[in-house]
Amino acid sequence: AQSVAQPEDQVNVAEGNPLTVKCTYSVSGNPYLFWYVQYPNRGLQFLLKYITGDNLVKGSYGFEAEFNKSQTSFHLKKPSALVSDSALYFCAVRAGFQKLVFGTGTRLLVSP
Amino acid sequence: EPEVTQTPSHQVTQMGQEVILRCVPISNHLYFYWYRQILGQKVEFLVSFYNNEISEKSEIFDDQFSVERPDGSNFTLKIRSTKLEDSAMYFCASSDGVTGPVGEQYFGPGTRLTVT
């Protein structure tokens, strides 16, 4: 079955420092991978996706993610964190025809 | 920017009652979804809907659940006889027909359902 794992419940980073939020996947066939962000009392907002092509995917708000097939990873990165990036981040994989299977989420806290 | 909207934002109901959660997907989207998130747990897929029929559903989506697109803009989730364990945040999502089923899904803000 398709699944993703987010090994960290929380990531702490200082403003201005680079951030990484980790995600590993387990799929049969080609992976279709997504990152979403959830702010308090808001729905999930799409950040970026990997379908095929370049391993470095650029998305919204300066985020990017690196697809690594050999390590089955799809880590979310940003070169310089902002306090406003503090939120809950979800990795997801397409499973079946259309459904997304989400990870457990990683809370990112960016301190001033 | 177009958004998925959901009403109500919070619904409180008694066990055994029927509830209807409403969603207005993005207007030119063709694929529609419901997910739920029990407090502190993962976001879970319930059902997808395309071309006026269910295209995929999870084990959670049993006979107590149904979906409908009653007109050209609304998409609803009905729970016929609510249980305590149905208490969760319910998210509606939609995606366009250009990128098909691998397109990104756009989520609404959610309806918090509390069953007492």
Side-chain angles (χ1 to χ4, degrees), chain B residues 2-5 24-30 32 69 94-95 106-107:
Chain B
E3 290 182 332
V4 176
T5 59
V24 179
I26 295 173
S27 63
N28 61 340
H29 283 187
L30 301 179
F32 313 112
R69 188 152 163 83
S94 67
S95 60
Y106 291 88
F107 285 75

Side-chain angles (χ1 to χ4, degrees), chain A residues 3-4 32 34 36 38 41-46 49 51 88 90 94-104, chain B residues 3 31 33 35 37 42-43 45 48-50 55-56 59 91 99 101-110:
Chain A
S3 66
V4 290
Y32 300 127
F34 301 81
Y36 283 83
Q38 186 179 31
N41 301 315
R42 301 283 297 275
L44 298 161
Q45 293 180 37
F46 169 75
K49 67 180 179 183
I51 303 298
L88 192 54
F90 290 95
R94 191 184 70 120
F97 181 58
Q98 292 164 319
K99 73 178 184 182
L100 293 178
V101 171
F102 285 86
T104 49
Chain B
E3 290 182 332
Y31 298 84
Y33 315 85
Y35 290 81
Q37 184 179 31
K42 285 187 191 184
V43 176
F45 171 80
S48 60
F49 192 86
Y50 171 69
S55 48
E56 194 171 6
E59 317 79 57
F91 292 108
T99 47
V102 298
E104 55 270 27
Q105 295 175 18
Y106 291 88
F107 285 75

Side-chain angles (χ1 to χ4, degrees), chain A residues 9-63:
Chain A
D9 289 336
Q10 184 163 309
V11 169
N12 297 305
V13 65
E15 188 173 34
N17 283 358
L19 69 88
T20 299
V21 182
K22 295 180 181 176
C23 173
T24 58
Y25 65 88
S26 174
V27 303
S28 52
N30 293 322
Y32 300 127
L33 297 159
F34 301 81
W35 275 103
Y36 283 83
V37 60
Q38 186 179 31
Y39 296 99
N41 301 315
R42 301 283 297 275
L44 298 161
Q45 293 180 37
F46 169 75
L47 281 178
L48 50 80
K49 67 180 179 183
Y50 174 82
I51 303 298
T52 187
D54 287 342
N55 289 340
L56 187 64
V57 179
K58 293 192 182 297
S60 306
Y61 313 121
F63 284 93

Side-chain angles (χ1 to χ4, degrees), chain B residues 67-106:
Chain B
V67 289
E68 192 179 24
R69 188 152 163 83
D71 52 42
S73 59
N74 290 284
F75 180 52
T76 62
L77 174 69
K78 182 193 290 187
I79 309 175
R80 287 190 183 81
S81 179
T82 50
K83 307 182 186 70
L84 293 176
E85 54 265 36
D86 294 328
S87 295
M89 181 73 90
Y90 287 80
F91 292 108
C92 175
S94 67
S95 60
D96 67 25
V98 176
T99 47
V102 298
E104 55 270 27
Q105 295 175 18
Y106 291 88

Side-chain angles (χ1 to χ4, degrees), chain B residues 47-73:
Chain B
V47 66
S48 60
F49 192 86
Y50 171 69
N51 202 25
N52 281 321
E53 60 183 25
I54 291 173
S55 48
E56 194 171 6
K57 62 181 181 179
S58 72
E59 317 79 57
I60 303 168
F61 194 87
D62 61 20
D63 292 343
Q64 292 297 315
F65 292 88
S66 62
V67 289
E68 192 179 24
R69 188 152 163 83
D71 52 42
S73 59

